[in-house]
Amino acid sequence: MTYLGVDYYPEHWPEEMIDEDINGIIELGANIVRIGEFAWHLMESEEGSFDFSYFDKVIAKLKERGLDVMFGTPTATFPAWLAHKEPGILSEDEHNHPRVFGGRRQYCFNSDAYRKYAARITRKLVEHYKDEEAIVSWQIDNEFGHEGSDMCYCDQCHHKFQGYLAEKYTDIQTLNEEWGTIFWGQTYNDFSEIPIPKPTITTHNPSLKLEWSRFRSDSLNGFAHEMTNIVKEIKGGHQTVTTNVSGGVFDKWFDHAENLRPMDFVSYDNYPVWGGLEKPIPPEAIAMTHDFNRGLLNKNYWIVEELMGAQGHDVIGYLPRPEQAKMWSYQAFAHGCSNMLYFRWRGMTKGAEQFCYGVVDHDNVYGRKYKEVQSLFGEMKNHTELLNSEITSDIAVLYDYDNIWSWRSQIQSKDFDFNEELLRLYRPFYQLNTNIDVIPADRDLDTYKVVVVPVMQVMDEAFADRLRSFANQGGTVIFSFRTGLKGKDNNLRLGEVLPGLVRDMVGARVEEIESLTSDHNLSLQGEGGFSDIPAQVSVWRDLLVAEEAEVLYRYQDYFYKDYAAVTQNTFGEGEVYYVGGGLSESALDKIAQDVVQRHDIDFIESVQDVEAYRRRVGDTSYLFLMNHSDQEKAFQSVDLKPYESKIIKE
Ligand code: GAL
């Protein structure tokens, strides 16, 4: 069965509207609604007085009409009485200003008081509904870490950070040695002297900053898992547990795979455009995030918030064109979403999200968007087996949050953006319509033929060894600039020539480096099969000397024209590419084509802006086709109207 539904907030509407709403939701073709995730006050309006009667009535009505329910634990928005009584639960910004009551997610993950109250409401709620047949799934909190809520500089966090360090390093000399606190005379006599990276003159120690990032991650995940364990301990056997991942997955201070580890499945909130954006993010960026979410538990996932209308808090931007939001849903299903709920049933007339438009707007007219969702639900109902079929990929793109946070605290080039650099290497394979997994770097690589390792500046020997044996056995590895620069302590290694631990694989060494801006494009000269393909680098350049490797591109400027920019090496049975800068598209397209051909990887040719994604059920294969443009396009003999999407049997 496929769950299709909407995020419904019955508490926002007059009670007498519920029957009409349920009719509308059923007419839409839905079989599930998600409720409850911001309604703490409705369940505990005063400290300790728990009352679930409102939701009892709602659930009875939903159940009577055959709708199932996903219920969100309400800890993302705490009641005003709690903030008033326990102001210490409020998180603080870097200037130690508390985030006052009024927005959402303003609690500190390290507040013992918050943990106590949050655990209690979670426990009471799940105890109340553990036997409720209609509730098939629990969502923990809402969008952990979103909107900057993963960062807090309060004293509780500071003390716990010192405790975290004391536990990890045991004695202060070890920490001093590892962090190099001799520099600028920062040597500590005791863990209690260690600061958190609040504003100072210039910048903090890089090891401190990376440990702070890890500590932030542990803090958030510690809270999330405490709540998850409560739900798991009490819930009914028929109920599953999830939490919803928000967009901007690489811009967060927590390890997502760790966050989702105890969940039954991943839920994702898919907003290809939000707030003041003038246009949606590019199709490959949307696709990459789907592949990332599928990769978290390595299986198909849900979308519990799929946009239909324009969205924004105080600023609104782009309106998804007719059929465009539906096409994004097709794209999500193609990449492994198996169940989907739209955000939200109806846009609210009051409160901070007046301008988050839903399936229905405040005019309560069942219009164009309603019909679009209705048609999507109608079409998807027949594809349960297809939507649940397993996706396998020959290509993996690897990421590691330690590396991301290391970059985030020292971007080195003013225009460096981790998302862009990961997408730079993901996009050429996306263009070939190959299946790609986006996964944490510690996953098993045995089933892949190609491993893409963007800007992996933080690396340990175990990882380098795994890549070495992967290439040795015939795999292709693609690195980009700054590879192997640092160890897990976020420091450089004395006497080590870059790319450090993987220099033998790359067969080239980096002699000097230069940070470029994104509009500073340096022309390269291609060699061999690349001589006819013009290319540039921006953002960064490594000046490479090929040792065993073959040179694919060289720089052309006077001082550096002997240096290579891109190399390819044979290593064992495999091959290793090194892309020494922010390389332009055509050159990367050629690399991807060569690699896909070499490994005989399934790819599909399509015109620009038409995405094709192949799925298999037994011996039958299907193509999901998505036209990402406002122009008519064709895929083989299939015509696609602007933003049209469809599934065809091959
Ligand atoms: C999501 C969030 C929802 C709602 C929505 C608006 O990030 O989970 O609660 O705020 O955005 O687009």
Side-chain angles (χ1 to χ4, degrees):
M1 133 171 206
T2 304
Y3 274 119
L4 300 164
V6 290
D7 302 311
Y8 182 37
Y9 301 88
E11 69 276 22
H12 295 174
W13 310 108
E15 226 170 301
E16 58 275 15
M17 279 184 85
I18 190 164
D19 292 322
E20 178 195 319
D21 280 347
I22 293 178
N23 283 338
I25 291 170
I26 287 173
E27 271 298 294
L28 189 67
N31 51 13
I32 192 167
V33 296
R34 190 181 66 141
I35 58 173
E37 78 270 18
F38 299 119
W40 187 338
H41 186 273
L42 208 51
M43 308 175 205
E44 190 186 3
S45 60
E46 280 172 36
E47 183 175 354
S49 74
F50 298 96
D51 177 3
F52 300 100
S53 58
Y54 176 78
F55 285 107
D56 291 349
K57 278 185 271 167
V58 169
I59 291 168
K61 291 219 174 243
L62 294 168
K63 190 168 155 181
E64 200 184 294
R65 305 294 309 279
L67 288 168
D68 280 341
V69 173
M70 176 180 275
F71 205 114
T73 63
T75 49
T77 52
F78 46 81
W81 59 256
L82 179 54
H84 187 70
K85 181 179 177 217
E86 300 270 4
I89 67 168
L90 298 172
S91 65
E92 293 179 10
D93 70 11
E94 56 188 10
H95 304 290
N96 285 120
H97 297 151
R99 277 85 178 232
V100 301
F101 185 82
R104 62 174 167 179
R105 306 208 49 81
Q106 340 78 308
Y107 64 87
C108 170
F109 295 107
N110 285 313
S111 158
D112 292 334
Y114 195 68
R115 286 198 178 204
K116 185 182 96 188
Y117 285 97
R120 191 169 66 166
I121 184 69
T122 302
R123 186 173 287 281
K124 293 279 179 195
L125 173 66
V126 185
E127 272 167 359
H128 186 78
Y129 287 125
K130 64 183 187 339
D131 299 322
E132 176 51 67
E133 285 303 319
I135 298 182
V136 293
S137 194
W138 291 100
Q139 172 188 303
I140 310 292
D141 203 283
N142 188 74
E143 293 193 336
F144 278 116
H146 199 39
E147 295 161 338
S149 61
D150 48 8
M151 192 45 85
C152 171
Y153 295 88
C154 76
D155 288 347
Q156 300 162 111
C157 286
H158 192 165
H159 290 140
K160 288 198 180 165
F161 178 55
Q162 292 168 338
Y164 158 92
L165 295 173
E167 196 177 304
K168 178 158 179 182
Y169 291 86
T170 327
D171 72 289
I172 196 72
Q173 292 333 328
T174 309
L175 178 143
N176 282 320
E177 189 57 37
E178 204 165 297
W179 290 15
T181 54
I182 190 71
F183 190 78
W184 282 351
Q186 290 171 352
T187 307
Y188 301 109
N189 292 338
D190 193 86
F191 287 97
S192 62
E193 296 168 2
I194 300 175
I196 55 177
K198 292 194 233 180
T200 183
I201 305 286
T202 184
T203 190
H204 284 276
N205 177 301
S207 300
L208 178 144
K209 289 196 278 190
L210 183 54
E211 285 296 10
W212 173 248
S213 311
R214 291 181 181 131
F215 169 75
R216 295 309 318 160
S217 181
D218 284 5
S219 303
L220 185 152
N221 285 334
F223 175 85
H225 292 172
E226 186 181 331
M227 299 308 130
T228 309
N229 289 341
I230 293 170
V231 176
K232 284 186 134 179
E233 173 202 318
I234 306 167
K235 73 175 183 66
H238 67 293
Q239 298 171 334
T240 53
V241 185
T242 186
T243 189
N244 53 338
V245 176
S246 63
V249 294
F250 297 130
D251 303 323
K252 300 281 198 302
W253 297 110
F254 69 102
D255 181 326
H256 284 54
E258 173 60 12
N259 183 253
L260 272 297
R261 190 178 40 77
M263 309 296 166
D264 292 309
F265 55 86
V266 172
S267 295
Y268 174 54
D269 294 348
N270 187 35
Y271 293 91
V273 65
W274 208 90
L277 288 183
E278 191 185 317
K279 56 176 196 207
I281 60 171
E284 66 269 21
I286 312 171
M288 187 279 291
T289 318
H290 290 305
D291 295 343
F292 171 95
N293 278 288
R294 193 182 67 248
L296 290 174
L297 290 178
N298 196 19
K299 63 179 189 188
N300 295 3
Y301 56 97
W302 290 43
I303 286 182
V304 295
E305 294 186 22
E306 176 80 9
L307 106 167
M308 181 38 75
Q311 301 288 308
H313 285 160
D314 297 333
V315 179
I316 324 169
Y318 182 89
L319 169 68
R321 306 296 185 247
E323 300 297 304
Q324 190 172 16
K326 179 176 172 183
M327 181 273 295
W328 285 327
S329 303
Y330 262 77
Q331 185 192 24
F333 284 122
H335 284 259
C337 164
S338 51
N339 301 271
M340 179 180 284
L341 289 83
Y342 274 89
F343 186 86
R344 49 184 283 165
W345 164 239
R346 180 170 48 239
M348 173 55 161
T349 54
K350 302 174 187 180
E353 296 202 337
Q354 290 175 321
F355 304 137
C356 289
Y357 289 91
V359 174
V360 177
D361 294 337
H362 67 277
D363 57 17
N364 206 24
V365 173
Y366 294 5
R368 192 269 303 168
K369 292 180 288 168
Y370 182 93
K371 294 190 182 104
E372 202 171 307
V373 176
Q374 198 173 38
S375 70
L376 175 93
F377 284 1
E379 289 157 31
M380 284 305 153
K381 276 201 173 116
N382 311 319
H383 289 300
T384 300
E385 216 190 338
L386 176 60
L387 301 185
N388 286 296
S389 65
E390 194 194 341
I391 295 177
T392 54
S393 312
D394 292 327
I395 304 166
V397 174
L398 307 186
Y399 66 87
D400 172 17
Y401 275 98
D402 278 349
N403 178 57
I404 297 168
W405 297 327
S406 167
W407 273 108
R408 208 169 159 183
S409 76
Q410 290 176 302
I411 57 172
Q412 300 169 71
S413 158
K414 87 175 180 38
D415 291 334
F416 178 84
D417 178 340
F418 179 82
N419 290 281
E420 294 298 322
E421 294 311 324
L422 185 131
L423 279 172
R424 192 189 294 282
L425 301 190
Y426 173 95
R427 188 203 52 83
F429 293 101
Y430 167 85
Q431 292 295 342
L432 294 170
N433 296 300
T434 55
N435 292 9
I436 309 164
D437 287 350
V438 177
I439 51 168
D442 60 4
R443 295 282 169 85
D444 190 3
L445 303 177
D446 286 355
T447 58
Y448 297 104
K449 296 176 176 167
V450 181
V451 161
V452 180
V453 193
V455 293
M456 194 65 88
Q457 67 174 6
V458 169
M459 193 182 274
D460 61 12
E461 287 186 18
F463 178 61
D465 285 346
R466 288 169 53 232
L467 292 175
R468 197 171 284 115
S469 80
F470 175 78
N472 243 324
Q473 289 159 33
T476 293
V477 179
I478 305 177
F479 291 115
S480 59
F481 57 91
R482 286 317 235 173
T483 295
L485 176 69
K486 292 178 164 218
K488 282 277 179 181
D489 55 4
N490 211 14
N491 291 321
L492 314 179
R493 286 179 277 245
L494 179 65
E496 189 179 83
V497 175
L498 293 181
L501 300 171
V502 294
R503 179 179 171 188
D504 57 334
M505 294 175 66
V506 172
R509 66 174 186 273
V510 179
E511 285 205 340
E512 296 196 62
I513 53 99
E514 182 173 33
S515 138
L516 309 171
T517 56
S518 56
D519 50 14
H520 185 168
N521 288 296
L522 285 172
S523 293
L524 306 177
Q525 178 58 54
E527 301 194 356
F530 288 81
S531 53
D532 293 337
I533 302 172
Q536 296 99 37
V537 286
S538 60
V539 182
W540 189 267
R541 65 162 156 177
D542 284 338
L543 297 165
L544 292 158
V545 174
E547 295 173 325
E548 289 88 39
E550 188 189 327
V551 177
L552 305 186
Y553 281 98
R554 273 182 216 280
Y555 298 102
Q556 287 188 291
D557 48 327
Y558 178 80
F559 289 107
Y560 302 116
K561 54 181 177 297
D562 288 338
Y563 285 95
V566 184
T567 60
Q568 180 189 5
N569 193 33
T570 304
F571 186 78
E573 300 288 300
E575 52 169 10
V576 179
Y577 288 85
Y578 190 93
V579 179
L583 187 61
S584 51
E585 293 188 352
S586 319
L588 287 165
D589 287 340
K590 160 106 172 108
I591 292 177
Q593 283 154 13
D594 290 353
V595 167
V596 161
Q597 258 168 28
R598 175 189 166 113
H599 291 284
D600 203 11
I601 291 171
D602 200 9
F603 74 100
I604 307 163
E605 278 178 79
S606 66
V607 297
Q608 186 66 31
D609 290 329
V610 170
E611 179 180 355
Y613 200 95
R614 183 170 283 131
R615 297 282 294 271
R616 291 197 165 82
V617 180
D619 292 337
T620 317
S621 73
Y622 296 84
L623 284 181
F624 285 72
L625 299 177
M626 281 74 59
N627 178 1
H628 286 272
S629 81
D630 59 3
Q631 311 289 311
E632 290 185 5
K633 298 266 173 172
F635 175 83
Q636 296 166 4
S637 60
V638 183
D639 290 327
L640 294 165
K641 295 202 238 355
Y643 298 120
E644 192 177 355
S645 45
K646 48 174 83 159
I647 297 172
I648 59 167
K649 204 169 173 174
E650 285 191 289

